[in-house]
Amino acid sequence: MNLRKTLLAASIVAALPMMASNAAQAAAQLMSAPVAQASPQESAGLVSKLSALDNQRGLSADHSFRIASQHPGVVGEKITRANHTFKGLRVFGSESVVVTNSAGDIVSESVSDRRTALSAPAASGGGRSATVAPADWTPTLSASDAIALVVKAVAPSGTHRWAPNAELLIYPVMKSVRVASALNKSESALNAMDLEEVVDHYELAYFVQTRMANKGKPVYFDTMVNAKTGAVIAQWKALQTVVGTGNSQYNGQVPIQTSLSGSTYQMLDSTRGTGGTYGGMAITNANHSSANSPDAGSIYTSTSNVWGDGQNYNGGSTTSANGQTAAVNALWGLMNTYDALKNVLGWQSLDGNNTATYIAAHVDTAYDNAFYDDGCKCMYIGDGSSFYSLGSIDVIGHEMSHGVTAATSNLNYSGESGGLNESNSDIGGEMVEAYARAGGTGSVIPATGNDWMMGKEISKSGQPLRWMYKPSKDGGSPDAWSSTIKNLDVHYSSGPNNRMFYFLSQGSNASSSSDYYSKYLVKSPAAMTGIGNDKAFRIWFKALTTKFTSSTNYADARTKVLAAATELYGAGSKEVIAVTRAYAAINVGADIDETGGTGGVSITTQPSNVSVTAGSTASFSVGAAGGTSPYTYKWYRNGAVITGATSATYSLTAQTADNGAVFNAVVSDSSSPVKTATSGNATLTVGTTGGTTERVTNGGFESGATGWAGTTGVIGNYSGQTAYEGTKFAWLGGNGTTASETITQAVTIPSTVTSATLTFALHIDTAETGSTVYDKLVVTVKNSAGSVLGTLASYSNVNAASGYQVRTFNMSAYKGQTVTLSFAMTEDSSLQTSFVVDKVSLITQ
């Protein structure tokens, strides 16, 4: 059996629908809304169509398909994962990922085929090259026998956290063989594309899944047991953790979405996700229940909607302000994970079908791990001993990404596929971190904001769990693929793919002494060019959700990531070139020159979201550099070209019907061949005239101190800082000496309004180092007597980040009052911290 030929054929099928499409339009497509599961009739119809394709491939009638799962594709499409079966038994790791349109037609099929050697001529009644003889299709052991054998081996005195199960199936025992061109290569010279996976033989087996607890630790295993002899064929750990073998106190005060029930607030976010255990995204208090078999406990509640103290858990009450901090970390991380996936990709919750999940904080005592449990489709966070509380934003994004994998490709958690599983979670953690650090809004993953180090904030030593740009810095992860990588723990075999993704996004360095150098990049230029976080993540996510199968390895991943890049950005595009080079940089495939990839056009100013009232003018602008001027511009609305929109700025008179429209631009240069760049998306929000009212006077500070009181000398246009928009801003701090500065404004919120929302843009930079709070900005709401009615947020030097972040707060609690907004800064005796505020707005409706 030649697996690679099958995969190549699948890739050709996948590429056909894109031939008539526009690459820029495809790149802007979002995943569709949650999909309805197929009816039995629909499933039978799809199986019939797939079986017809099998007949064309020469497979016998003993082969069929079993629908495993479904999730959204891009708008108008559905993704179905179908397991391959033979004589009614599933063939492990052999499956098809099928994209269908709204009419049920097959658009593409991505295949991992491990079944063809089972086919037999009708007259023989047996397998051509199968080692499972016809008489052997009946097991000697029962399912309960197989489970008992596994339990005895892994945890004889343990208890079952989830009921064990055993599935009778056909297990292809795989082996790696060299392609003809690599027969004489030394082992050290092998590239991932020099090997292919082929079936050595088949065994009738039970796939036993045990989720147990023993001696205070979860013991999760997947085991293949020979259904005749009881011998263990293969076994791997199945607990998906952030801490590998051997190896918001983080965010300042942050806005979190809670629910009010009577007079009690709950950490239940009913605006994100539906159904699930709690009907929305929730944070619960495990209250030190044993990691042996953790009890998620109850949702966090409080009579006040101000939570946590921002300090690491000190071992006391889990419901005190200090105990609540771990829950604040968790909810903020969960919200940003949901928003990053939905706002950027259109993917809703973990499964794409908007099913709510939850995180349980304070698992066990001084527990040094966090893990995703697919039994409850939830996450557990320990308080740490060698670590700080394991609830940093990248750790939460990491574990929640395991849920996305489980709902889509379901990459087997062993060997190369297990390394890709872990790498996807590291990628997800970093992209959520970048999104959250930039304010957690918008439709793109920001180019900066993440640190490319997994779990650095939770580390007491200052050393992260993993360095994505140079995996070998941890002493165990390889920087590149080798034939022995499949033997490593999955947290280590993830290393090369992590580095691939870093290079794809950020590019490499040509100096051999650099951490960002790869000896495998031998073409021109020696320093490959990255394409940024947003494009890299879109390509990776499309491959994960629409092409990867459970058995995808590094070579297969390269093929399918290239296919995803081609579908999104076009054959020969700089994005496809970057994917090719990024995989070459980790010894997967050959390097190529960046033909058309250097000296190209790049977007320097992205179009911004616009909010106007009906009848007003809305304008979108784009800036570009590089390539050969002059440039030409083409604007798109919801993926369709706007006739006559050929300037760097596009303006329209907004009408109510334009609300929610999405705009982007494609910039082309004058070279031959033409080089192009595609901007990010910008959304137009159109409100009804007179329906909304701005309550803040001069919130952008363009009229100086007008409307503001306090230390108004901080307002102006000063060198060293820039405005969020316009030319002026309020620069609090930045003195480097003991100082206190405050700006205030009184606003009236009528009792008749239905909503009141405060927003402001904040940039923080500092000369301080470490995680100790020295300088602070506290945002409060006061009454006319100066008494504090509520603290909206507290920021410090620890929250420093590049660029502005837009902060949003619900002010409905102050309806019917005239209140004073206060921004108060205190700075200690040395090392400056600047808190730069702009575009303060309080909109009522």
Side-chain angles (χ1 to χ4, degrees):
M1 171 187 141
N2 190 315
L3 181 63
R4 181 164 297 155
K5 287 183 179 178
T6 306
L7 293 175
L8 179 60
S11 298
I12 294 172
V13 172
L16 290 176
M18 296 304 299
M19 291 175 65
S21 69
N22 180 284
Q25 179 177 346
Q29 288 183 329
L30 297 178
M31 294 292 191
S32 60
V35 297
Q37 295 301 297
S39 67
Q41 293 80 10
E42 290 171 329
S43 295
L46 179 58
V47 167
S48 177
K49 292 176 181 177
L50 291 171
S51 296
L53 291 175
D54 269 2
N55 289 337
Q56 297 174 22
R57 296 168 182 146
L59 296 179
S60 71
D62 285 328
H63 290 279
S64 189
F65 298 84
R66 183 185 304 159
I67 304 301
S69 64
Q70 293 181 319
H71 60 76
V74 298
V75 174
E77 295 180 350
K78 179 186 291 188
I79 312 300
T80 301
R81 292 178 177 272
N83 294 323
H84 298 162
T85 64
F86 183 73
K87 293 185 179 294
L89 294 176
R90 177 163 75 100
V91 182
F92 187 80
S94 191
E95 58 199 85
S96 294
V97 185
V98 186
V99 179
T100 53
N101 60 21
S102 56
D105 300 321
I106 295 177
V107 175
S108 68
E109 180 188 13
S110 177
V111 182
S112 175
D113 201 331
R114 297 184 168 185
R115 59 190 171 148
T116 51
L118 286 163
S119 292
S124 72
R128 264 200 315 253
S129 58
T131 56
V132 179
D136 289 339
W137 293 112
T138 302
T140 302
L141 301 177
S142 67
S144 58
D145 291 336
I147 291 171
L149 286 169
V150 173
V151 169
K152 183 178 180 181
V154 300
S157 59
T159 57
H160 291 290
R161 173 146 171 72
W162 307 105
N165 62 77
E167 175 193 3
L168 185 66
L169 49 67
I170 298 171
Y171 182 67
V173 178
M174 308 299 292
K175 64 180 180 181
S176 295
V177 299
R178 298 189 181 201
V179 299
S181 60
L183 291 178
N184 296 320
K185 279 189 176 182
S186 66
E187 188 74 16
S188 61
L190 289 176
N191 182 284
M193 307 305 291
D194 290 331
L195 300 180
E196 58 183 349
E197 293 283 293
V198 300
V199 175
D200 181 72
H201 65 279
Y202 297 93
E203 297 196 27
L204 185 68
Y206 283 108
F207 179 39
V208 181
Q209 295 179 291
T210 50
R211 305 295 183 257
M212 304 180 69
N214 188 43
K215 297 180 181 179
K217 293 182 179 180
V219 182
Y220 288 20
F221 276 97
D222 288 341
T223 308
M224 287 292 172
V225 177
N226 185 295
K228 293 288 188 180
T229 66
V232 172
I233 305 168
Q235 185 177 73
W236 57 89
K237 293 179 180 178
L239 186 66
Q240 298 179 346
T241 68
V242 70
V243 181
T245 303
N247 204 10
S248 166
Q249 66 213 62
Y250 308 115
N251 315 298
Q253 192 152 2
V254 293
I256 56 175
Q257 182 70 44
T258 57
S259 299
L260 181 62
S261 177
S263 60
T264 302
Y265 291 94
Q266 303 180 82
M267 278 199 176
L268 174 64
D269 180 359
S270 57
T271 69
R272 294 172 173 87
T274 59
T277 303
Y278 299 102
M281 300 296 188
I283 308 302
T284 66
N285 181 12
N287 199 26
H288 303 311
S289 66
S290 172
N292 214 0
S293 186
D295 178 0
S298 302
I299 297 176
Y300 265 92
T301 61
S302 175
T303 56
S304 165
N305 206 20
V306 178
W307 307 77
D309 65 357
Q311 304 300 311
N312 193 59
Y313 179 60
N314 60 23
S317 167
T318 56
T319 57
S320 66
N322 180 249
Q324 291 173 356
T325 298
V328 172
N329 295 339
L331 183 53
W332 190 71
L334 186 54
M335 288 166 53
N336 275 283
T337 301
Y338 181 95
D339 288 351
L341 293 174
K342 184 176 186 295
N343 296 343
V344 175
L345 302 167
W347 186 262
Q348 298 186 48
S349 195
L350 306 184
D351 59 1
N353 288 320
N354 208 31
T355 306
T357 185
Y358 66 91
I359 298 177
H362 297 298
V363 171
D364 219 311
T365 301
Y367 184 58
D368 264 332
N369 217 328
F371 62 90
Y372 174 79
D373 190 337
D374 201 44
C376 58
K377 301 187 186 307
C378 68
M379 177 181 176
Y380 292 93
I381 297 177
D383 294 321
S385 175
S386 301
F387 297 101
Y388 295 117
S389 176
L390 283 92
S392 62
I393 184 68
D394 55 352
V395 169
I396 291 172
H398 173 104
E399 292 304 327
M400 292 293 97
S401 294
H402 277 307
V404 176
T405 302
T408 57
S409 61
N410 200 27
L411 288 159
N412 294 326
Y413 206 55
S414 66
E416 291 190 25
S417 61
L420 295 173
N421 188 318
E422 272 299 311
S423 178
N424 175 67
S425 284
D426 282 352
I427 290 167
E430 287 300 303
M431 295 302 94
V432 170
E433 181 179 48
Y435 190 78
R437 297 295 183 216
T441 60
S443 58
V444 298
I445 300 293
T448 60
N450 59 304
D451 57 13
W452 299 103
M453 292 180 283
M454 177 55 53
K456 188 176 189 299
E457 289 175 312
I458 66 173
S459 172
K460 290 184 175 180
S461 68
Q463 300 298 301
L465 298 172
R466 286 178 287 284
W467 286 262
M468 293 188 72
Y469 57 88
K470 180 74 170 176
S472 60
K473 288 171 75 72
D474 67 10
S477 299
D479 290 332
W481 178 92
S482 71
S483 60
T484 60
I485 194 174
K486 60 186 176 183
N487 301 322
L488 297 176
D489 177 272
V490 294
H491 297 87
Y492 293 151
S493 60
S494 64
N497 198 74
N498 281 352
R499 194 170 208 224
M500 179 284 300
F501 189 82
Y502 176 85
F503 286 148
L504 179 60
S505 172
Q506 303 294 303
S508 69
N509 189 291
S511 172
S512 60
S513 62
S514 170
D515 282 345
Y516 310 97
Y517 168 79
S518 169
K519 68 179 182 180
Y520 299 102
L521 291 176
V522 295
K523 296 293 187 177
S524 178
M528 70 162 285
T529 305
I531 58 175
N533 282 345
D534 188 70
K535 286 184 176 180
F537 190 45
R538 290 179 191 278
I539 292 169
W540 175 260
F541 194 85
K542 184 176 182 68
L544 173 81
T545 56
T546 70
K547 302 186 185 305
F548 283 12
T549 67
S550 61
S551 57
T552 288
N553 60 12
Y554 270 79
D556 188 27
R558 175 187 180 274
T559 299
K560 291 174 176 175
V561 175
L562 278 170
T566 301
E567 291 180 12
L568 285 172
Y569 300 106
S573 64
K574 66 178 182 180
E575 292 80 9
V576 169
I577 292 170
V579 170
T580 305
R581 300 207 73 195
Y583 270 106
I586 61 164
N587 198 29
V588 181
D591 193 18
I592 60 174
D593 291 321
E594 286 186 19
T595 305
T598 58
V601 181
S602 62
I603 302 297
T604 57
T605 303
Q606 297 284 358
S608 300
N609 295 337
V610 174
S611 296
V612 296
T613 56
S616 300
T617 299
S619 295
F620 300 91
S621 296
V622 65
T628 304
S629 61
Y631 303 128
T632 57
Y633 303 87
K634 191 178 292 185
W635 284 91
Y636 292 80
R637 173 193 171 110
N638 296 333
V641 174
I642 304 171
T643 302
T646 57
S647 300
T649 297
Y650 170 66
S651 300
L652 74 158
T653 301
Q655 304 298 331
T656 303
D658 295 319
N659 185 50
V662 176
F663 298 84
N664 74 293
V666 174
V667 184
S668 302
D669 74 350
S670 300
S671 63
S672 180
V674 172
K675 299 179 180 65
T676 64
T678 303
S679 76
N681 294 331
T683 302
L684 175 59
T685 301
V686 183
T688 304
T689 304
T692 61
T693 303
E694 174 62 76
R695 302 291 173 178
V696 171
T697 300
N698 186 31
F701 305 105
E702 297 306 299
S703 298
T706 300
W708 295 94
T711 319
T712 55
V714 303
I715 298 172
N717 180 6
Y718 304 102
S719 61
Q721 297 291 347
T722 57
Y724 177 75
E725 64 178 28
T727 61
K728 295 182 181 179
F729 45 85
W731 184 355
L732 298 126
N735 304 289
T737 60
T738 302
S740 297
E741 297 165 349
T742 303
I743 56 171
T744 64
Q745 182 170 151
V747 294
T748 300
I749 306 176
S751 60
T752 55
V753 303
T754 58
S755 65
T757 303
L758 172 69
T759 61
F760 56 87
L762 174 65
H763 166 64
I764 305 172
D765 62 64
T766 187
E768 305 280 8
T769 58
S771 57
T772 301
V773 173
Y774 297 106
D775 311 313
K776 296 179 69 175
L777 173 71
V778 181
V779 185
T780 58
V781 179
K782 299 181 178 181
N783 61 19
S784 57
S787 300
V788 175
L789 300 176
T791 299
L792 299 180
S794 179
Y795 308 99
S796 75
N797 51 280
V798 177
N799 307 125
S802 60
Y804 279 89
Q805 297 182 348
V806 177
R807 307 296 185 172
T808 304
F809 303 91
N810 186 346
M811 299 288 286
S812 298
Y814 305 106
K815 290 194 302 182
Q817 302 179 58
T818 297
V819 297
T820 297
L821 302 176
S822 172
F823 296 81
M825 184 282 308
T826 57
E827 198 171 6
D828 73 353
S829 59
S830 65
L831 299 179
Q832 73 87 24
T833 300
S834 296
F835 301 92
V836 188
V837 179
D838 200 357
K839 200 179 181 183
V840 183
S841 173
L842 201 166
I843 299 293
T844 60
Q845 189 169 5

